[in-house]
Amino acid sequence: MKKITIVMSAFAVLLSTTTFAHNQDEVQGFFSQKELAEKHLIDRGDGKAKWMPLSEALHLGALAHESGRCGGFFDLTGMKKVSSVPLMPVETFRLSLGDRPMTQQVYLQESLSILDTQRLFKTVSDLAAYRNRFYKSETGVSSANFIADQFRAIAKNRSDVTVDLFAHKKWAQPSVVVTMKGTGPQANEIVVIGGHEDSINQSAFGSKNMDAPGADDNATGVATILEVFRVLVDTNFKPNRTLMFMTYAAEEVGLLGSQEIANQFKLEKKSVVGVVQFDMTGFMGAGDQVVFMTDFTSPELTQFSQKLLDTYVKAKWSTDKCGYACSDHASWNKAGYMAVMPFEATMGGDNKDIHSSRDLISKLDFNHSLHFAKLGLAFMAELSQ
Ligand code: BES
Ligand code: ZN
């Protein structure tokens, strides 16, 4: 029944734009008729890209979630093909993680206790207050600026930190890219913590006024990243490697922002030693455990992160699969870098209210989120040295 409602409402959006459009190019909502009909090159994660109208690609995602699956896809339209570009010779920067010792116990013992659930709550609440953070909307842009301002306020006394907006040519919402410069001999090597900043309402994606609070998906990820950054700055942490904090634009429409960034890093031959993706950290759908996604991720980095969790967080964990390229870790993975995706629940126990007006803060548990912030802080501190 629910499935039928979604199909019908998506159909109603299309129908209403068809009925009331006086001219083919007239923009009724976020997408003009012409844009919805335009063919996009969509790869559902199996490497077999197919041309289809944008409307069809967006519906694929909505329908998959209704049936309890993750319906991820890469929108490859207009993306430079970088698969044939080699990374830097891997041995120059690939860390050997299997036998890597933990060295940051002293620093982490103190700093992990400073992570604060109230700050996580405040960021999620501020972000969810935007009507939506859609990649094409004004509030999509202002919410990205808000995130950049939060980073700037925290870093105001640090000359080794830069906060940049990464502009995307094809849509208005910028990604936010924050750099804390390394101070050691490996300063050219980079550790990334990231998650997407945009939100979507999949049953009303054509409407300018859609309500998409995206509290769980993914204000929680942004809050987690910001809180890790806050504690690193407040403890005056000086990394050996360079640390980067990213909130990606346009994830919900085919991992667009993160693909551009990861591809650019690859083309510029940047040595990214590890990427941790936080996408949904606040819904306790399968008990208080961290679930590591084992597809489109690095087994080595995942195993290392499980060790971090055992050492520093002492929370339960398990593994599952998205089954698709369900979030931005897949963009880094595709570019050849090691990525890990710790998720809030199993696929079966996931938050069914995402991508709707019901993705609200009231359903979230910030003690659950705190485990992810702890893991993120341990990840950044350990891999930075
Ligand atoms: N946060 C979700 C991914 C997710 C949802 C993972 C539920 C596990 C369970 C992400 O924002 C998302 O919605 N991804 C899309 C794919 C994207 C490429 C359009 C999806 O899952 O449909
Ligand atoms: Zn989503």
Side-chain angles (χ1 to χ4, degrees):
M1 184 56 205
K2 219 172 169 196
K3 195 165 174 175
I4 293 171
T5 318
I6 290 283
V7 177
M8 300 252 300
S9 54
F11 186 61
V13 168
L14 285 179
L15 197 69
S16 63
T17 50
T18 315
T19 316
F20 299 113
H22 297 297
N23 105 37
Q24 276 294 69
D25 290 343
E26 193 176 340
V27 179
Q28 293 289 331
F30 287 112
F31 298 101
S32 65
Q33 279 295 340
K34 197 170 153 228
E35 281 177 306
L36 283 170
E38 251 162 30
K39 294 263 172 99
H40 282 236
L41 186 58
I42 301 297
D43 174 359
R44 303 188 68 188
D46 55 7
K48 295 182 203 140
K50 220 181 98 184
W51 288 95
M52 62 176 78
L54 178 62
S55 57
E56 197 178 309
L58 293 170
H59 287 158
L60 277 177
L63 295 181
H65 275 291
E66 276 304 296
S67 60
R69 284 184 304 114
C70 187
F73 58 88
F74 293 104
D75 187 342
L76 300 176
T77 322
M79 291 279 168
K80 278 192 216 115
K81 198 165 181 350
V82 296
S83 56
S84 53
V85 179
L87 277 173
M88 295 262 284
V90 160
E91 58 278 13
T92 63
F93 70 88
R94 188 138 294 187
L95 299 180
S96 143
L97 294 172
D99 48 10
R100 193 183 161 81
M102 301 286 161
T103 64
Q104 298 301 301
Q105 275 102 338
V106 175
Y107 169 73
L108 284 168
Q109 180 165 19
E110 173 84 37
S111 59
L112 285 169
S113 66
I114 305 173
L115 290 163
D116 183 352
T117 50
Q118 279 174 28
R119 286 180 190 264
L120 293 168
F121 180 93
K122 175 77 167 72
T123 305
V124 173
S125 142
D126 287 345
L127 288 173
Y130 287 87
R131 173 165 280 201
N132 62 64
R133 302 187 301 278
F134 197 54
Y135 77 127
K136 282 179 156 237
S137 75
E138 266 165 45
T139 47
V141 175
S142 51
S143 55
N145 282 318
F146 171 80
I147 293 167
D149 286 343
Q150 302 302 301
F151 278 106
R152 283 191 197 106
I154 291 167
K156 62 181 187 304
N157 297 323
R158 290 277 295 249
S159 57
D160 57 336
V161 173
T162 51
V163 178
D164 298 304
L165 294 177
F166 186 108
H168 300 280
K169 277 194 208 79
K170 291 196 175 167
W171 64 89
Q173 184 181 51
S175 296
V176 178
V177 175
V178 179
T179 309
M180 186 186 283
K181 257 214 207 101
T183 56
Q186 293 119 306
N188 68 319
E189 295 182 354
I190 299 167
V191 187
V192 175
I193 180 171
H196 69 91
E197 65 197 20
D198 63 318
S199 73
I200 195 169
N201 183 328
Q202 278 181 330
S203 52
F205 63 80
S207 148
K208 240 191 175 89
N209 296 324
M210 65 176 165
D211 282 321
D216 192 16
D217 188 8
N218 180 32
T220 56
V222 175
T224 303
I225 296 158
L226 190 66
E227 181 59 2
V228 168
F229 178 73
R230 202 267 307 171
V231 169
L232 286 167
V233 170
D234 279 3
T235 54
N236 207 21
F237 187 78
K238 295 284 160 62
N240 177 354
R241 297 191 169 85
T242 292
L243 302 183
M244 297 190 80
F245 306 77
M246 305 190 181
T247 67
Y248 312 107
E251 185 267 356
E252 299 285 11
V253 287
L255 315 179
L256 292 179
S258 59
Q259 279 194 88
E260 267 191 42
I261 294 174
N263 288 352
Q264 179 175 315
F265 273 50
K266 181 177 180 181
L267 288 171
E268 291 175 357
K269 300 200 184 300
K270 292 205 166 144
S271 304
V272 179
V273 298
V275 177
V276 60
Q277 170 72 5
F278 288 115
D279 185 357
M280 299 167 68
T281 71
F283 180 74
M284 216 160 67
D288 195 8
Q289 60 167 338
V290 173
V291 179
F292 290 92
M293 292 303 178
T294 57
D295 49 354
F296 302 93
T297 51
S298 150
E300 294 93 334
L301 193 61
T302 300
Q303 205 176 37
F304 179 73
S305 304
Q306 290 160 351
K307 229 157 99 184
L308 287 173
L309 203 89
D310 288 338
T311 310
Y312 294 117
V313 188
K314 298 182 173 71
K316 280 199 208 122
W317 59 264
S318 65
T319 60
D320 205 346
K321 280 189 166 80
C322 264
Y324 282 108
C326 68
S327 190
D328 305 297
H329 56 288
S331 299
W332 291 100
N333 180 261
K334 194 170 66 157
Y337 296 113
M338 286 204 267
V340 58
M341 157 80 161
F343 186 66
E344 64 187 11
T346 53
M347 283 310 279
D350 66 324
N351 185 347
K352 304 289 186 248
D353 287 327
I354 65 167
H355 302 168
S356 79
S357 57
R358 301 178 306 279
D359 185 0
L360 298 169
I361 198 166
S362 51
K363 304 197 170 135
L364 307 180
D365 181 328
F366 287 89
N367 287 314
H368 193 49
S369 259
L370 185 63
H371 292 324
F372 294 83
K374 286 183 176 175
L375 177 59
L377 183 59
F379 185 94
M380 297 309 271
E382 281 290 350
L383 287 183
S384 74
Q385 303 301 331

